[in-house]
Amino acid sequence: MEAAMIKSIFNEFDHRFNYKNHSELNSGHINDTFFVETDGHKNYILQRINHSVFKDVPGLVNNKALTSNHLKSKYPNLSKDELSKKVLSFVKAKNSDFYYFKNGNDFWNVMVFIENSVTHEIVKDKEIAYEGGKLLGEFLNGTLDFDSSQLIDVIPNFHDMSFRYKQYASSIQSASKERLKKAEKYTKIVAALKDEMHILQNLKETRKIPVRVTHNDTKISNALFTEDHKGICMIDTDTVMPGIIHYDFGDAIRTICNSAAEDEKDLSKVEFNLEYYKAYEKGFLEQTAASLSAVELKYLPLAAKTMIFIMALRFLTDYLNNDVYYKTKYPEHNLERAKNQFKLIESFSKKIAN
Ligand code: GN1
Ligand code: MG
């Protein structure tokens, strides 16, 4: 996107510094994200929020701001400056909303960039897995007393397996013959796993597992680290809303324990890393074990399998729907992502007995 355009949108926000340059960060599948460098000591992240995926953007932005405020209240001894290095800080637009709405079309928001931080698309070090587990644990501890009635359901039924299965079933009805043929092998795997993959949903619905405030997009690239591998905080709070901890634990494991990227086409590179699973679980439980029930604990391994499956199912559904939801870089991108996730389930199942 052109510098003049990014600069003018950035200038709609209430910050003290001048735009110097920007670069696009390409890891997300839904929003457009830019790093904005300024002439001052603070840099920023500017984001265009995808309005066709997120129907209520003002509600979403409000969720994010409330979440940050709540998390900040957990560190009463930190100064404002120290807090902005530990928790996401959102910047108001000049009209004092936390978003800017351009031309009746695009929603933008801005947050302060946490300096000297890095993200990881693939984990190559056990310490990252361990620190990642601690970070999620800290996040969930921080939101334990957060009144979820303040939050909107950003995407209703987001990780609801029955809902995702229905979407998949209807994509099968409308898919082209060509895509259906290419997906055939995977539709058989879905059918074989269907019942097992609804267990967590059923436990949630029968209230055997409690609903808490969860992050809902805990892939490892949504965790911020220092350059020397210490956890800073969870980022991308777009989907913070009520959920079960299994969504968060499982989605993190899905990415941390995949030896390759989520869309790696060479499936021989896709292996489930048990050592990283143990390290993540250790970090996570050090923080959360005291507040988890026996049922929550018992189903952590199934959470991993279920979240790998739900992503496989969603990628496959989007492929059958001709790629209307996720950004894709080539025609079979969603199918490749789905294949990758199914391979990960296979590898997981060989290494972990539920
Ligand atoms: C999407 O856009 P991004 O990368 O933050 C998706 C997640 C998936 C993820 C797969 C709102 O997240 O649920 O896990 O892609 N977010 C939404 O990488 O659908
Ligand atoms: Mg996200």
Side-chain angles (χ1 to χ4, degrees):
M1 201 168 284
E2 280 172 29
M5 159 95 162
I6 294 291
K7 183 178 172 181
S8 85
I9 292 161
F10 181 59
N11 285 341
E12 293 296 332
F13 288 84
D14 198 7
H15 47 76
R16 280 180 289 145
F17 308 111
N18 297 310
Y19 169 98
K20 203 163 136 196
N21 57 51
H22 77 271
S23 53
E24 183 160 5
L25 306 174
N26 282 315
S27 116
H29 296 1
I30 309 284
N31 296 330
D32 299 319
T33 308
F34 304 89
F35 169 72
V36 177
E37 192 189 346
T38 73
D39 61 357
H41 65 271
K42 273 188 185 167
N43 299 307
Y44 296 86
I45 298 290
L46 173 69
Q47 239 182 353
R48 174 163 57 187
I49 300 175
N50 183 325
H51 188 23
S52 70
V53 166
F54 296 111
K55 307 291 181 209
D56 178 0
V57 180
L60 172 150
V61 172
N62 189 48
N63 272 12
K64 282 156 73 110
L66 286 174
T67 303
S68 278
N69 280 347
H70 189 83
L71 292 175
K72 283 182 178 174
S73 73
K74 301 290 156 190
Y75 302 99
N77 299 326
L78 294 189
S79 69
K80 204 172 163 212
D81 205 37
E82 286 165 330
L83 269 178
S84 71
K85 293 179 185 137
K86 184 69 194 154
V87 183
L88 296 179
S89 300
F90 294 92
V91 179
K92 285 189 169 165
K94 286 180 177 157
N95 67 1
S96 90
D97 288 331
F98 277 110
Y99 60 90
Y100 168 61
F101 191 41
K102 187 175 187 302
N103 299 340
N105 198 16
D106 282 340
F107 284 94
W108 293 84
N109 83 324
V110 166
M111 67 198 120
V112 177
F113 175 71
I114 299 182
E115 297 296 333
N116 304 316
S117 64
V118 293
T119 54
H120 299 275
E121 294 292 325
I122 301 177
V123 175
K124 297 206 170 112
D125 188 298
K126 198 170 121 183
E127 201 188 347
I128 294 287
Y130 169 71
E131 286 285 322
K134 276 188 10 191
L135 272 189
L136 176 60
E138 269 171 34
F139 179 89
L140 292 173
N141 285 342
T143 55
L144 210 51
D145 61 345
F146 191 6
D147 173 11
S148 66
S149 68
Q150 292 181 287
L151 300 174
I152 63 151
D153 249 354
V154 187
I155 299 181
N157 306 312
F158 191 51
H159 289 317
D160 178 326
M161 190 62 81
S162 331
F163 173 72
R164 294 302 182 187
Y165 188 82
K166 271 190 208 129
Q167 288 185 320
Y168 160 76
S170 94
S171 75
I172 296 228
Q173 295 304 317
S174 57
S176 70
K177 276 205 184 104
E178 190 203 342
R179 289 202 173 208
L180 210 46
K181 179 91 198 120
K182 288 197 170 143
E184 196 181 352
K185 176 174 170 195
Y186 305 98
T187 58
K188 288 185 180 143
I189 303 178
V190 171
L193 289 172
K194 185 182 168 199
D195 290 346
E196 185 191 8
M197 294 297 97
H198 279 77
I199 292 176
L200 283 174
Q201 189 61 39
N202 294 336
L203 289 167
K204 176 175 177 262
E205 276 160 22
T206 52
R207 299 184 186 202
K208 302 216 168 60
I209 295 179
V211 170
R212 306 163 180 265
V213 173
T214 47
H215 181 286
N216 297 306
D217 190 10
T218 54
K219 56 183 179 182
I220 189 63
S221 57
N222 281 338
L224 214 55
F225 295 90
T226 62
E227 276 151 15
D228 58 353
H229 294 180
K230 297 293 170 218
I232 301 176
C233 65
M234 299 295 300
I235 57 172
D236 184 0
T237 46
D238 287 353
T239 46
V240 171
M241 57 188 159
I244 56 176
I245 55 122
H246 301 81
Y247 298 157
D248 283 356
F249 181 81
D251 195 24
I253 292 295
R254 175 181 80 81
T255 47
I256 284 164
C257 300
N258 191 343
S259 55
E262 174 183 83
D263 61 352
E264 171 61 58
K265 288 190 203 171
D266 178 353
L267 297 185
S268 70
K269 292 187 183 156
V270 177
E271 281 295 330
F272 187 85
N273 187 319
L274 194 55
E275 193 193 6
Y276 291 175
Y277 180 93
K278 300 278 178 216
Y280 188 86
E281 184 187 51
K282 181 168 184 284
F284 177 75
L285 290 179
E286 276 175 14
Q287 297 292 319
T288 57
S291 61
L292 298 183
S293 71
V295 181
E296 285 179 305
L297 286 168
K298 177 178 168 193
Y299 286 99
L300 290 179
L302 183 62
K305 187 170 181 181
T306 306
M307 293 310 287
I308 308 171
F309 177 85
I310 205 166
M311 294 307 161
L313 191 68
R314 289 176 60 198
F315 290 139
L316 191 61
T317 302
D318 201 32
Y319 175 70
L320 293 169
N321 284 337
N322 295 328
D323 314 314
V324 290
Y325 186 85
Y326 294 110
K327 289 184 194 173
T328 51
K329 297 201 174 100
Y330 56 92
E332 309 232 317
H333 202 166
N334 273 318
L335 182 63
E336 294 296 341
R337 288 171 175 145
K339 284 160 78 170
N340 176 306
Q341 301 292 292
F342 284 120
K343 167 68 199 289
L344 190 62
I345 294 180
E346 190 188 314
S347 175
F348 168 91
S349 301
K350 282 187 193 142
K351 294 189 181 175
I352 293 200
N354 295 318

